[in-house]
Amino acid sequence: MSYPLGLRPGAGSLAIDAPYAERASCKEGRIDGALLGGWGRVSPHLLSAIRRHRLSRFARLIETLEPQVANLPDRRLRELADDLRARLRSARLFSRESALSFALVREAARRHVGMRHFHVQLLGGAAMMGGAIAEMETGEGKTLTALLPAITAALMGRPVHVITVNDYLARRDAEQLGPVYAALGLTVGLAEHGQSPEDRRRAYASDVTYCTNKELVFDYLRDRLVLGPRRASARLLVDRMFRDGQIGGLQPLLLRGLHCAIVDEADSVLIDEARTPLILSGAQEGAENAAGLYEAALDIARRLDPGDAFQVLPNEKSIRLTADGENQIAELAAGMPGLWIIRRAREELVQHALAALHLYRRDVQYIVADGKVQIVDEYTGRVMPDRSWESGIHQLIEAKEHCAITERRKTLAQITYQRFFRRYVHLCGMTGTATEPAGELYATYGLPIVRIPTNRPLRRANAGTRMLSTAEQKWKAVLRSVQAETRAGRAVLVGTRSVEASEQISQLLRAAGLEPMVLNARQDREEAEVVARAGQPGRITVATNMAGRGTDIQLHAAVRDAGGLHVILTEYHESRRIDRQLYGRAGRQGDPGSYQAIVAIEDEIFQRFSSRGLLQLVTRNLAPDRQIPAAIALALRSYSQSAAERLHGRARQAAVAEDDRINKIFGFAGPE
């Protein structure tokens, strides 16, 4: 059976007592979750052909309607869109009305931005309109594809949020695609970092709003703080709220509800970033924020012996004090005033100081720029402005780096991505890598995966895997590979996991007489320019995970003739999907390209997630400068990444459980 947009089953009932449209929480038991996860994993394989057949039939209907709109003047296209509004509200999912909407979007895009949707993009748009995640290869035009369901939903009168992973992409897409929306009588808004509340309200009042996941969730939490305990009685005030934008004389809300969300890079947003809750914080009144407190904590932490006094648990990102360590802290803090008198307070403060020293590394988890500690997003490699770690850890890191100490913050509201995105009336998305987490996406969000074929055959070649014993050997091998590919006239992209690693390989390349372009958290403002030049002959680009995701590397004709872009992965990530995302920078849209992995046993993923005995067994009797056999390297990669993904899965479950606990206590996160 087909369901109208936004009325798919299994996502919880509408929260009619809420001040604006959203779904109430829907909780499954463990058995239900396991069954849903199992079905989510197998359904992309079992039902892909059936789903694609249905979508293809709908795409053919769109293509039969296209000649009817192709020769109409712009004014008539606008009138047709206006006529569709009422009809779409009662139309079935893959109806003639929906197909006509898609045909109008296709024609408007051709006229106003010079891009006409390919057949496979029609399939992707239809999959999202049906409440699924469209898995489309990198370079297949997901941004343009999202226009189809976004405009169709907007014509139904539903506020649409198109969610991207950074402000640059949100602004680019809103500006680039704005003429298409305008041609069909729709407005486009942009909610980005640094805007005033008035500008945000105007953005969310538009038919379609482009925004980032973090900005959107924080705006939702701000609305929840405004509402406070009025949730239960808000239904009586809905008319007034939508008339003057205020509730009971309080400040107006930012959002108009959670109607329709189209999530770009859905795996990154819904899986990778779902391990920790989003916390809205405010100034902590009466907090003891003197720099001396943090300096003293760091001084005590530096005097404790690893092993005897504390244990570092990198996988859990925590520090465990031993009984001996607790006694040492008491001795070292003897006679100190304030918090140091309280046993629990001093031990917690020193634990956090130990974490700042041993778990948070400069140029990995954060950078220091303009005298400030700035957090680096571990998944995108981008700086997260105005974000801070909680529990005083941020201030301890500032003290460690001799930066000005910022004000400590207190939690005002928090919510997990899992809880937030399940509240949308209609949720869908797109990404190039959704197959691996298909089970979790279906069990958590009710989102099936639909694989969309490429417009042109893939020509991306796998140049193999090389695993070496030491990091030094690895970097030498990377250097030789870069030299060989650039001599052949190709462009090269070297992918690293951290700012530190990107700068290390860049120094080696320069010492060898090469001149790489570097793209990491320090150069994120030049991202578009660096990516635009990354396809030139002999060009070497060294990048962290950001790697221009969401933008195309345009190949020079000479590079295309020489074999295209060559991608070198220098360290496996904790998720197979992120490796695939990096590989996907090559061979886009039918272009030639290749990729290879050059890694070392000393890489963090193997040291953290493989046992010491296993690593010793692998390297035993291995001659210097000899690489580990490919079969063993792939097995070790699989073992380590599987362990990491299991750990992260448990972290996501723990985040949801903790969010449930907090929600029961404080009722921050909306209707149950």
Side-chain angles (χ1 to χ4, degrees):
M1 177 179 181
S2 298
Y3 294 88
L5 187 66
L7 296 182
R8 57 175 171 72
S13 59
L14 282 175
I16 58 173
D17 286 335
Y20 46 52
E22 60 179 313
R23 289 191 180 276
S25 294
C26 179
K27 300 177 182 177
E28 297 91 7
R30 289 186 178 181
I31 295 177
D32 292 335
L35 292 174
L36 288 170
W39 175 246
R41 283 189 293 274
V42 302
S43 62
H45 306 281
L46 295 178
L47 300 181
S48 284
I50 297 174
R51 287 170 175 160
R52 280 202 297 267
H53 174 73
R54 187 181 189 188
L55 298 178
S56 294
R57 189 169 56 189
F58 180 67
R60 288 194 295 271
L61 176 58
I62 297 166
E63 288 166 339
T64 61
L65 294 173
E66 186 177 13
Q68 300 179 21
V69 302
N71 297 319
L72 296 176
D74 289 347
R75 175 183 55 80
R76 182 57 184 147
L77 284 186
R78 171 77 175 268
E79 291 173 352
L80 268 179
D82 290 339
D83 291 343
L84 267 179
R85 290 176 182 267
R87 292 157 55 194
L88 279 170
R89 292 173 185 262
S90 58
R92 289 169 62 85
L93 181 56
F94 296 119
S95 62
R96 186 179 182 85
E97 289 80 8
S98 298
L100 181 56
S101 174
F102 273 45
L104 286 172
V105 176
R106 194 185 202 188
E107 179 61 22
R110 183 189 67 81
R111 294 185 188 186
H112 297 282
V113 295
M115 295 183 286
R116 178 176 176 271
H117 292 84
F118 297 124
H119 179 83
V120 294
Q121 291 173 317
L122 300 179
L123 302 181
M128 286 187 276
M129 191 176 70
I133 288 180
E135 185 180 65
M136 304 174 67
E137 277 284 343
T138 54
E140 289 296 299
K142 291 186 285 291
T143 300
L144 186 66
T145 301
L147 269 178
L148 298 162
I151 289 179
T152 301
L155 289 175
M156 292 180 184
R158 311 216 173 165
V160 178
H161 299 154
V162 182
I163 302 162
T164 64
V165 292
N166 64 72
D167 282 335
Y168 162 72
L169 292 177
R171 174 172 287 278
R172 182 203 68 179
D173 295 348
E175 292 176 350
Q176 180 181 8
L177 302 177
V180 183
Y181 290 104
L184 299 178
L186 299 170
T187 57
V188 180
L190 172 66
E192 60 183 343
H193 180 73
Q195 283 180 319
S196 67
E198 292 75 19
D199 289 338
R200 287 180 181 276
R201 273 187 285 277
R202 280 193 291 270
Y204 290 120
S206 303
D207 296 308
V208 178
T209 306
Y210 283 82
C211 55
T212 65
N213 46 305
K214 290 184 173 66
E215 295 296 325
L216 175 65
V217 175
F218 284 131
D219 287 338
Y220 176 82
L221 290 177
R222 291 183 184 104
D223 279 355
R224 285 297 164 198
L225 287 177
V226 170
L227 293 171
R230 294 169 176 78
R231 290 199 320 273
S233 60
R235 188 177 181 186
L236 302 176
L237 301 171
V238 167
D239 289 341
R240 179 180 177 184
M241 177 182 67
F242 284 107
R243 184 174 63 251
D244 60 16
Q246 298 194 12
I247 295 181
L250 298 178
Q251 67 186 66
L253 299 177
L254 298 171
L255 301 172
R256 292 189 291 152
L258 305 182
H259 292 263
C260 177
I262 301 172
V263 186
D264 193 9
E265 308 297 359
D267 60 317
S268 177
V269 173
L270 301 178
I271 298 295
D272 293 336
E273 299 198 31
R275 284 160 49 190
T276 55
L278 273 293
I279 298 174
L280 184 66
S281 61
Q284 184 167 329
E285 297 179 5
E288 190 174 357
N289 290 321
L293 176 69
Y294 301 114
E295 293 287 0
L298 290 169
D299 179 62
I300 291 176
R302 290 187 179 104
R303 295 162 70 180
L304 298 178
D305 296 325
D308 293 334
F310 64 92
Q311 295 175 337
V312 179
L313 306 174
N315 287 355
E316 288 77 21
K317 290 192 175 180
S318 64
I319 299 291
R320 179 182 300 159
L321 290 175
T322 65
D324 187 46
E326 293 171 357
N327 293 333
Q328 288 184 43
I329 293 170
E331 292 174 4
L332 293 169
M336 297 173 66
L339 292 176
W340 297 107
I341 299 173
I342 306 168
R343 176 182 175 181
R344 183 171 181 178
R346 67 175 178 251
E347 290 176 0
E348 184 177 271
L349 186 56
V350 174
Q351 272 185 295
H352 291 157
L354 288 166
L357 292 172
H358 299 284
L359 295 175
Y360 293 85
R361 293 166 49 200
R362 183 170 178 167
D363 294 338
V364 179
Q365 282 85 16
Y366 66 92
I367 63 171
V368 176
D370 302 324
K372 297 179 181 179
V373 171
Q374 300 184 352
I375 298 175
V376 176
D377 189 313
E378 65 178 303
Y379 300 108
T380 66
R382 295 181 174 88
V383 167
M384 297 192 290
D386 297 337
R387 302 287 191 261
S388 62
W389 287 293
E390 59 178 336
S391 304
I393 289 178
H394 201 89
Q395 288 72 27
L396 285 159
I397 295 173
E398 289 171 332
K400 180 181 79 169
E401 298 293 349
H402 308 292
C403 296
I405 305 298
T406 57
E407 187 178 46
R408 187 166 172 177
R409 316 284 285 176
K410 66 177 180 180
T411 297
L412 300 177
Q414 72 178 58
I415 193 171
T416 58
Y417 280 119
Q418 292 93 327
R419 182 184 294 276
F420 173 76
F421 281 106
R422 285 162 65 107
R423 292 202 164 144
Y424 271 96
V425 178
H426 183 83
L427 177 64
C428 61
M430 51 191 175
T431 183
T433 49
T435 300
E436 292 91 341
E440 187 171 349
L441 287 167
Y442 191 77
T444 303
Y445 303 99
L447 291 170
I449 308 301
V450 178
R451 293 174 172 175
I452 306 299
T454 57
N455 184 53
R456 297 174 181 171
L458 279 178
R459 299 169 61 192
R460 186 185 307 136
N462 183 351
T465 297
R466 297 188 62 191
M467 181 179 287
L468 300 160
S469 297
T470 67
E472 182 181 3
Q473 294 171 10
K474 174 180 74 173
W475 295 126
K476 289 180 180 178
V478 171
L479 176 59
R480 289 193 295 270
S481 181
V482 170
Q483 290 172 325
E485 298 299 339
T486 53
R487 280 197 298 268
R490 301 181 67 182
V492 178
L493 171 64
V494 180
T496 68
R497 282 192 60 180
S498 67
V499 174
E500 181 181 55
S502 69
E503 294 180 346
Q504 181 179 358
I505 184 59
S506 298
Q507 290 173 2
L508 290 174
L509 291 168
R510 291 190 182 102
L514 302 172
E515 190 56 42
M517 296 291 292
V518 181
L519 179 59
N520 60 33
R522 299 191 200 280
Q523 294 85 20
D524 58 353
R525 293 172 184 167
E526 291 81 36
E527 179 177 352
E529 180 183 353
V530 172
V531 172
R533 298 164 62 186
Q536 297 298 308
R539 177 70 63 184
I540 304 166
T541 306
V542 177
T544 54
N545 289 354
M546 56 200 306
R549 190 174 182 182
T551 58
D552 278 331
I553 296 177
Q554 301 293 336
L555 298 185
H556 188 279
V559 172
R560 187 176 289 106
D561 293 340
L565 180 70
H566 182 66
V567 173
I568 303 174
L569 179 146
T570 62
E571 187 174 353
Y572 288 125
H573 298 84
E574 292 173 11
S575 170
R576 297 173 180 85
R577 289 176 293 105
I578 301 179
D579 294 342
R580 276 216 291 149
Q581 290 159 12
L582 180 64
Y583 294 153
R585 307 309 302 169
R588 297 164 72 90
Q589 300 179 9
D591 283 336
S594 59
Y595 62 91
Q596 70 179 138
I598 303 177
V599 298
I601 287 289
E602 292 181 350
D603 290 346
E604 181 181 358
I605 188 169
F606 302 124
Q607 297 299 315
R608 283 182 59 189
F609 296 103
S610 292
S611 68
R612 187 179 302 273
L614 179 59
L615 296 181
Q616 290 175 347
L617 180 64
V618 168
T619 56
R620 184 181 299 168
N621 301 323
L622 188 68
D625 298 328
R626 290 292 301 275
Q627 68 182 53
I628 294 165
I632 296 177
L634 292 175
L636 190 59
R637 172 199 181 187
S638 178
Y639 178 90
S640 301
Q641 289 183 324
S642 295
E645 289 171 348
R646 286 194 300 271
L647 177 71
H648 297 331
R650 290 194 295 270
R652 289 189 289 271
Q653 293 172 358
V656 172
E658 177 65 11
D659 191 49
D660 287 339
R661 187 184 71 83
I662 294 293
N663 189 57
K664 287 177 182 177
I665 296 173
F666 297 106
F668 282 142
E672 291 298 316

